[in-house]
Amino acid sequence: MRYDKKVLLLKRIEDSNPDGLDHSVSYSSKEVLANVKRTNLSLNNGKIYDATIVRIYGEYEADAIGFIGEYDANDESTIHTIQKVGRHFNHMDFYIIHGEVILHG
């Protein structure tokens, strides 16, 4: 398996005053090598989802992922929330679900 793409693992930093008027979410980031694959996932409920799987060698914690070249800390649309984490022997899979695939026919 080739870990040929760089991604940013984003960990949410808690705000000192989350109920304040100027509340904003901020992230710390760690750049790692990853294998990134966009695919369709079939679940047991029969639904198919358009997803990106980010596979990383090692053990990490993250709340979201930013892709190098796309990520902008001031633009929420470039922050991809992780919906599912798969832990394996030497690697982790982070799943980002983009939406349900609707088949017509």
Side-chain angles (χ1 to χ4, degrees):
M1 172 133 330
R2 296 173 58 181
Y3 296 92
D4 56 350
K5 300 246 186 339
K6 290 183 180 180
V7 298
L8 293 170
L9 297 181
L10 305 174
K11 187 76 174 152
R12 183 172 286 132
I13 299 172
E14 295 301 323
D15 193 355
S16 61
N17 186 10
D19 297 325
L21 293 175
D22 61 345
H23 171 70
S24 64
V25 177
S26 58
Y27 294 93
S28 65
S29 65
K30 178 174 181 69
E31 186 176 305
V32 295
L33 290 174
N35 179 294
V36 180
K37 180 179 180 183
R38 188 137 185 191
T39 187
N40 288 335
L41 292 176
S42 299
L43 300 182
N44 289 342
N45 63 5
K47 294 184 178 182
I48 300 172
Y49 294 93
D50 175 26
T52 299
I53 302 171
V54 179
R55 179 169 284 176
I56 299 170
Y57 187 80
E59 182 79 21
Y60 295 95
E61 286 194 29
D63 297 312
I65 290 184
F67 296 108
I68 301 291
E70 172 192 308
Y71 175 70
D72 178 6
N74 299 319
D75 184 1
E76 290 259 342
S77 68
T78 63
I79 299 171
H80 304 281
T81 304
I82 298 167
Q83 278 82 22
K84 183 179 188 280
V85 177
R87 295 185 190 323
H88 306 284
F89 180 64
N90 285 328
H91 66 271
M92 297 182 71
D93 293 338
F94 295 103
Y95 294 84
I96 302 166
I97 306 296
H98 302 287
E100 184 177 353
V101 176
I102 307 297
L103 300 175
H104 299 280

